Amino acid sequence: MAAALDLLLIGWLLQSALCGQFEVTVPQTIEVLRGSCVTIPCSFDVENKYESNLDNTCKALWKNDQDTVVFNSSAPQQTTIKGAFTGNLTKKDCTTTLNNMQPEHSKKYFLRVQCNNVLRHNFPDQKLEISVKDGPPRPTLTPSTLKVKEGTSVNVTCSAPAPCLSHPPTLTWTPSLGDIHETLQENQDKTKFKTSVLTFTASHLRHRQEISCTAVYNKQDGSTESSVTTRLTADILFAPQILPSSDCTKSAGQFNCSCESVGKPSPTLQWYLDGFPVNNSDKFAISNETVNETSLRSFIIVSDPQGRGVPTLLCHSSNSLGSATQRFYVYILQPYDLVTLAVFITIVVILLVVVCALLLVIRAQKTRHYLLKSTLAVNQHVTSGEGIEGPKATEEDIYVNTVEPWFLK
Ligand SMILES: *[C@@H]1O[C@H](CO)[C@@H](O)[C@H](O)[C@H]1NC(C)=O
Ligand SMILES: *[C@@H]1O[C@H](CO)[C@@H](O)[C@H](O)[C@H]1NC(C)=O
Ligand SMILES: *[C@@H]1O[C@H](CO)[C@@H](O)[C@H](O)[C@H]1NC(C)=O
């Protein structure tokens, strides 16, 4: 039974493909911007016996549903709607461009092929509805929502119809996050649309950032341009990061430590003291607060730390994408430690004083030596005769310089 149906279907398909029939292929509807043009993709077929009648005398006429001719390919500038015939009837291509469309042109239209022979045919079964709009269509963004992990490469596609091929829309991205690749593509009904693909790497810095695509349509008269924008907010998932503002302060024998983490999905926070998780209790006052959708802050008051020394305080934050840990050093000095510290400081100070005193003595000795030497030299020079001539003086200088001070003899 099913096989028989299949055969029937195949037979019917073959018949419509091979044996010519009167039929036309046009889009069902096209939206056009007021004052702009529209290119109607169009193809048709005729019964086999009329095939030879398709010649240069044929013209394409477009009629509205009141059967009035609005476009004539033989006189494209003299009809109700002016335009250009860009098809080729001998090749069964009836593609037509209609210019400067106005709201009153919002109607249903059908094709007529008329030749100077027996071939004269209306194609009323397949009508095209043209809808002239005041504003351009909104571009579409794919995907319409963006929820991605940090670090992944993201493609967002913006597409906007391009009904007027001579004036395709220009697409712009705000902000221009990455590489942009533009193409003109065709729908199934052969109408065209422009696409722009934006490729960028998801970063948590872009979280909640709005990405928009704007389509600008220049109208045929050149006077006005029309633009429309579609927006999308990037929802970027990222592993927690502990913010550098996380810190400890000491007041009245307490340590007040804060830990703030950002992440998406919203992270959790857990405190660890000496390797053990701690929760709100008599010993530890812990309070958590949600800063915003991605950020969580927690405070811990460590009032009575167990044991002496340096307990390790950890803040651990995690979400489904990862985790982060920050270590806080909480120095707790016991009274015993304070005494030790005082003794240590005293010893260091005494040592420093002794070293300084020694240095001073050595320095004093050196200064005395130098002064004695200079005084001796000056005395010798003055008593060595009147006419101070270069070589002589030098000789004497050398002599003087070799005189040893009294205390070295
Ligand atoms: C189409 O235009 C041609 C050339 O002006 C004219 O001869 C013809 O009559 C027109 N056809 C129709 C149906 O208006
Ligand atoms: C801990 O410090 C934060 C600010 O860093 C403050 O808002 C909070 O009141 C403090 N808590 C205590 C108990 O001191
Ligand atoms: C949330 O708070 C964090 C830290 O205060 C900040 O960096 C981030 O921008 C905030 N996010 C939003 C969406 O407000």
Side-chain angles (χ1 to χ4, degrees):
M1 183 68 193
L5 264 180
D6 279 355
L7 268 179
L8 264 176
L9 194 67
I10 290 167
W12 179 79
L13 280 174
L14 279 175
Q15 195 192 3
S16 38
L18 295 176
C19 308
Q21 287 187 337
F22 280 113
E23 61 181 7
V24 66
T25 308
V26 285
Q28 276 191 319
T29 57
I30 304 185
E31 279 192 10
V32 193
L33 182 62
R34 173 194 197 134
S36 196
C37 84
V38 57
T39 299
I40 306 165
C42 176
S43 63
F44 68 100
D45 204 354
V46 294
E47 276 178 25
N48 282 348
K49 60 175 171 177
Y50 295 108
E51 198 87 24
S52 57
N53 297 115
L54 276 175
D55 58 24
N56 292 334
T57 68
C58 299
K59 49 187 166 273
L61 305 168
W62 286 96
K63 291 178 156 187
N64 63 21
D65 43 10
Q66 279 103 49
D67 211 29
T68 313
V69 173
V70 295
F71 179 83
N72 178 344
S73 65
S74 295
Q77 293 302 315
Q78 274 127 58
T79 40
T80 318
I81 304 177
K82 294 169 181 51
F85 184 74
T86 49
N88 181 347
L89 292 177
T90 58
K91 289 183 176 151
K92 301 174 183 171
D93 178 355
C94 43
T95 303
T96 309
T97 298
L98 303 178
N99 289 334
N100 193 18
M101 297 299 283
Q102 295 300 322
E104 63 267 25
H105 298 145
S106 289
K107 287 203 173 92
K108 286 190 173 169
Y109 298 92
F110 65 89
L111 177 75
R112 175 177 170 81
V113 172
Q114 187 173 315
C115 311
N116 289 350
N117 51 48
V118 286
L119 179 56
R120 280 145 193 258
H121 190 82
N122 281 343
F123 295 83
D125 294 339
Q126 175 71 54
K127 289 197 175 76
L128 156 74
E129 183 174 358
I130 293 181
S131 153
V132 182
K133 300 276 168 93
D134 278 334
R138 196 166 283 282
T140 52
L141 287 180
T142 346
S144 54
T145 56
L146 194 58
K147 196 168 191 171
V148 288
K149 285 186 191 175
E150 177 161 44
T152 47
S153 175
V154 180
N155 280 343
V156 187
T157 305
C158 178
S159 18
C164 179
L165 285 184
S166 57
H167 294 74
T170 54
L171 302 177
T172 41
W173 291 96
T174 320
S176 177
L177 291 175
D179 292 336
I180 292 164
H181 182 68
E182 281 194 354
T183 50
L184 193 65
Q185 296 190 33
E186 201 173 83
N187 289 306
Q188 236 176 346
D189 67 5
K190 302 267 197 299
T191 53
K192 302 280 201 289
F193 63 98
K194 194 158 178 192
T195 66
S196 175
V197 181
L198 170 71
T199 306
F200 66 96
T201 305
S203 147
H204 71 273
L205 301 174
R206 304 285 174 210
H207 183 63
R208 291 264 134 232
Q209 186 169 46
E210 195 173 73
I211 302 166
S212 67
C213 173
T214 303
V216 177
Y217 287 85
N218 287 301
K219 293 190 185 173
Q220 270 185 317
D221 50 16
S223 60
T224 39
E225 65 176 38
S226 218
S227 81
V228 68
T229 300
T230 302
R231 296 180 169 82
L232 144 85
T233 306
D235 205 358
I236 290 157
L237 305 179
F238 55 100
Q241 293 172 0
I242 292 177
L243 298 183
S245 59
S246 304
D247 200 9
C248 282
T249 54
K250 188 175 191 289
S251 61
Q254 288 182 335
F255 288 93
N256 180 353
C257 298
S258 75
C259 183
E260 183 173 352
S261 165
V262 287
K264 175 85 189 186
S266 188
T268 57
L269 283 178
Q270 174 69 54
W271 291 99
Y272 288 85
L273 194 62
D274 281 336
F276 294 100
V278 287
N279 295 311
N280 203 9
S281 67
D282 298 344
K283 278 183 179 166
F284 309 103
I286 296 174
S287 58
N288 290 336
E289 61 184 58
T290 306
V291 178
N292 59 33
E293 181 221 349
T294 56
S295 174
L296 179 70
R297 195 186 287 147
S298 181
F299 292 100
I300 185 170
I301 310 285
V302 184
S303 55
D304 181 26
Q306 294 161 312
R308 297 192 282 105
V310 187
T312 326
L313 186 64
L314 291 183
C315 169
H316 181 79
S317 178
S318 64
N319 69 7
S320 56
L321 272 87
S323 65
T325 303
Q326 166 139 343
R327 191 186 190 112
F328 296 88
Y329 291 98
V330 187
Y331 296 94
I332 297 163
L333 295 173
Q334 300 294 314
Y336 171 80
D337 296 325
L338 284 175
V339 171
T340 316
L341 190 67
V343 170
F344 177 73
I345 290 171
T346 315
I347 290 172
V348 169
V349 168
I350 291 172
L351 276 174
L352 276 175
V353 168
V354 169
V355 167
C356 284
L358 273 172
L359 280 174
L360 276 173
V361 168
I362 289 168
R363 196 192 152 117
Q365 288 279 7
K366 275 199 171 163
T367 313
R368 198 169 158 216
H369 179 163
Y370 173 74
L371 276 174
L372 269 172
K373 210 170 154 183
S374 320
T375 320
L376 209 62
V378 170
N379 287 345
Q380 290 286 341
H381 197 248
V382 169
T383 53
S384 67
E386 298 86 31
I388 301 167
E389 284 162 315
K392 201 180 168 202
T394 310
E395 222 168 73
E396 275 164 5
D397 278 348
I398 291 162
Y399 168 73
V400 165
N401 282 340
T402 58
V403 170
E404 289 181 35
W406 60 270
F407 56 84
L408 289 178
K409 282 184 181 170

